[in-house]
């Protein structure tokens, strides 16, 4: 069983449609969390697709990717509505999950944290960017949850670990550290996953948070236990 989970905002409806189309034939189920959509797009009317709306369940930002995650079994891939994924993405991620015996969190994008305490999360972390070639798998501290994969055989995640919206990468990193779960950014070629471009993608969690990351920095320093 392979389940894809994604949260979306209305500005990205066109890319959402393209993303859904690219995954639909390759997975068993797609769960879509619509934040502030005024209607459910017709392309989501499919037997493989389950839709949750913020009108019914609340505007929870990127936590929507993990809505009801406790009820899922099998391979889980969480993706974003502003990325373009390659045709072999699902097969490649599943192979990597199995290579590590279903015991680690797999990602494409990731971040490495310095050993000392941070002054700014976004400025001090070292990014392992999804568009950049990586010659071999490496361990990272924080996964990019738009490129995340794992299997529920050995990794259990609850929606309750995400204590505030639009920080799912950090909350998952805290959970992984507390439970001794490794996070692996996988080898890939340049531009294997790419950023969708256009004005509708200019508003992102990164762009919104880059200049005001006091809380993110506090969480990493105090809950992730850097420098201990």
């Amino acid at each position: 069983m392979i389940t894809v989970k994604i949260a979306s905002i209305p500005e990205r409806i066109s890319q959402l449609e393209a993303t859904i189309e690219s995954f639909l034939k390759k997975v068993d189920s797609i769960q879509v969390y619509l934040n502030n959509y005024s209607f459910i797009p017709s392309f989501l009317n499919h037997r493989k697709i389950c839709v949750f709306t913020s009108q019914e369940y609340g505007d929870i930002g990127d936590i929507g990717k993990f809505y009801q995650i406790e009820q899922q079994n099998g391979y889980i891939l969480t993706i974003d509505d502003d990325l373009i994924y390659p045709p072999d993405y699902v097969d490649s991620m599943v192979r990597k999950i199995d290579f590590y015996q279903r015991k680690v969190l797999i990602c494409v994008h990731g971040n490495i944290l310095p050993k000392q305490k941070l002054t700014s999360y976004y400025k001090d972390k070292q990014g392992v960017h999804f568009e950049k070639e990586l010659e071999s798998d490496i361990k990272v501290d924080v996964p990019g949850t738009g490129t995340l994969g794992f299997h529920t055989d050995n990794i259990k995640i609850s929606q309750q670990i995400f204590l505030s919206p639009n920080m799912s990468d950090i909350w998952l990193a805290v959970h992984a550290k507390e439970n001794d779960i490794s996070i692996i950014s996988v080898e890939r070629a340049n531009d294997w996953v790419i950023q969708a471009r256009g004005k509708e993608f200019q508003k992102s969690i990164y762009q919104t948070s880059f200049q005001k990351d006091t809380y993110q920095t506090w969480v990493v320093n105090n809950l992730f236990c850097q420098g201990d």
Side-chain angles (χ1 to χ4, degrees):
M1 184 74 176
I2 304 174
T3 300
V4 162
K5 296 178 70 64
I6 184 172
S8 182
I9 57 176
E11 295 91 332
R12 298 176 181 172
I13 185 172
S14 295
Q15 184 57 39
L16 176 64
E17 181 173 14
T19 301
I20 294 296
E21 178 64 26
S22 70
F23 279 93
L24 200 53
K25 294 181 180 179
K26 300 170 184 174
V27 302
D28 300 292
S29 174
I30 300 178
Q31 298 189 346
V32 183
Y33 201 103
L34 299 177
N35 284 307
N36 297 316
Y37 275 72
S38 60
F39 65 97
I40 297 177
S42 59
F43 61 82
L44 296 179
N45 183 19
H46 190 280
R47 60 179 179 81
K48 286 187 178 181
I49 299 174
C50 178
V51 177
F52 307 102
T53 67
S54 59
Q55 287 88 343
E56 188 169 4
Y57 301 104
D59 183 355
I60 56 175
D62 66 346
I63 300 175
K65 282 182 283 190
F66 296 93
Y67 188 72
Q68 294 188 355
I69 190 70
E70 306 90 342
Q71 300 180 22
Q72 307 309 307
N73 292 296
Y75 298 96
I76 308 295
L77 304 177
T78 63
I79 62 173
D80 279 345
D81 61 356
D82 62 346
L83 300 181
I84 299 173
Y85 300 85
D88 64 340
Y89 184 83
V90 173
D91 288 343
S92 297
M93 294 293 278
V94 165
R95 281 198 302 270
K96 279 294 183 181
I97 292 168
D98 285 345
F99 177 79
Y100 288 99
Q101 301 177 309
R102 304 179 177 180
K103 294 180 178 179
V104 308
L105 294 169
I106 295 295
C107 61
V108 183
H109 189 79
N111 291 294
I112 298 171
L113 300 175
K115 297 304 180 184
Q116 69 275 15
K117 288 205 169 188
L118 283 66
T119 58
S120 164
Y121 171 71
Y122 282 100
K123 294 176 183 176
D124 293 346
K125 67 184 177 61
Q126 176 188 345
V128 182
H129 198 274
F130 56 85
E131 288 185 328
K132 303 299 183 181
E133 177 186 16
L134 194 60
E135 293 184 352
S136 59
D137 297 355
I138 63 170
K139 189 173 182 179
V140 296
D141 299 305
V142 183
T145 55
T147 62
L148 179 75
F150 65 96
H151 197 285
T152 61
D153 271 0
N154 297 305
I155 297 179
K156 307 297 183 185
I157 295 174
S158 166
Q159 183 185 333
Q160 303 307 312
I161 72 171
F162 303 97
L163 303 183
S164 58
N166 301 328
M167 286 177 53
S168 63
D169 295 4
I170 294 175
W171 294 124
L172 187 55
V174 171
H175 175 77
K177 185 174 178 65
E178 289 175 344
N179 291 275
D180 198 26
I181 300 170
S182 293
I183 305 169
I184 304 294
S185 179
V186 300
E187 61 182 336
R188 70 276 189 163
N190 272 321
D191 296 331
W192 187 57
V193 176
I194 61 175
Q195 176 72 55
R197 266 108 182 153
K199 62 181 181 180
E200 65 269 35
F201 304 108
Q202 292 175 0
K203 180 184 177 183
S204 66
I205 293 173
Y206 176 83
Q207 293 294 336
T208 302
S209 303
F210 181 78
Q211 297 295 340
K212 46 181 182 179
D213 64 350
T214 302
Y215 184 54
Q216 291 90 334
T217 303
W218 182 90
V219 169
V220 170
N221 283 337
N222 290 275
L223 300 185
F224 201 86
C225 302
Q226 288 300 295
D228 59 359

